[in-house]
Structures are given as C-alpha cells and as structure tokens.
C-alpha cells in the first residue's frame, strides 16, 4: 500500500529489504529506533506504519 501511495503521488522513494539487508536492518534499529516496517524517513521525521494522513501532511500533498 505504501509503495502504491507514493507512486500515485509521484514521490520518489528507496526501498530497503531489512529481512535480507543486515546493514539496513541495523540502521533502522540503531539510527531510527524502529523495529517495525514500514519505517518511513522524511527529512528528520521517522514514521512507523502506513498512515496516509500523516504522509500527506509531511509531504505537502
């Protein structure tokens, strides 16, 4: 759902598979203090979970 939402709004994004990428998983846990997916980083904001309303506000859509 998140990928479709971002694509629909022409928002560029990068996907990291934390199940397969140990470095990405460690960064998600250590740097962003998150152990859940999706973890979404927008500037200095960290969102966990898919929340279209919050994303719309943060991305000024």
């Amino acid at each position: 759902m998140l990928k479709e939402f971002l694509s629909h709004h022409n928002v560029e994004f990068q996907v990291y598979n934390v199940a397969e990428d140990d470095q990405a998983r460690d960064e998600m846990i250590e740097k962003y203090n998150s152990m859940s997916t999706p973890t979404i980083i927008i500037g200095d904001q960290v969102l966990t979970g898919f929340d279209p309303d919050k994303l719309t506000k943060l991305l000024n859509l």
Side-chain angles (χ1 to χ4, degrees), residues 22-35:
D22 293 342
Q23 184 176 354
R25 183 196 62 236
D26 292 346
E27 182 176 356
M28 181 182 77
I29 294 168
E30 294 170 12
K31 185 174 182 180
Y32 300 111
N33 198 32
S34 177
M35 293 187 66

Side-chain angles (χ1 to χ4, degrees), residues 7-36:
S7 294
H8 176 76
H9 291 285
N10 298 314
V11 176
E12 291 185 30
F13 60 93
Q14 185 155 1
V15 176
Y16 297 93
N17 185 335
V18 296
E20 296 177 1
D21 184 340
D22 293 342
Q23 184 176 354
R25 183 196 62 236
D26 292 346
E27 182 176 356
M28 181 182 77
I29 294 168
E30 294 170 12
K31 185 174 182 180
Y32 300 111
N33 198 32
S34 177
M35 293 187 66
S36 64

Side-chain angles (χ1 to χ4, degrees), residues 1-2 5 38 40 47-58:
M1 290 174 38
L2 175 59
F5 176 88
I40 306 156
L47 301 175
T48 55
F50 176 59
D51 185 332
D53 292 332
K54 283 185 182 179
L55 284 170
T56 298
K57 289 178 186 175
L58 283 172

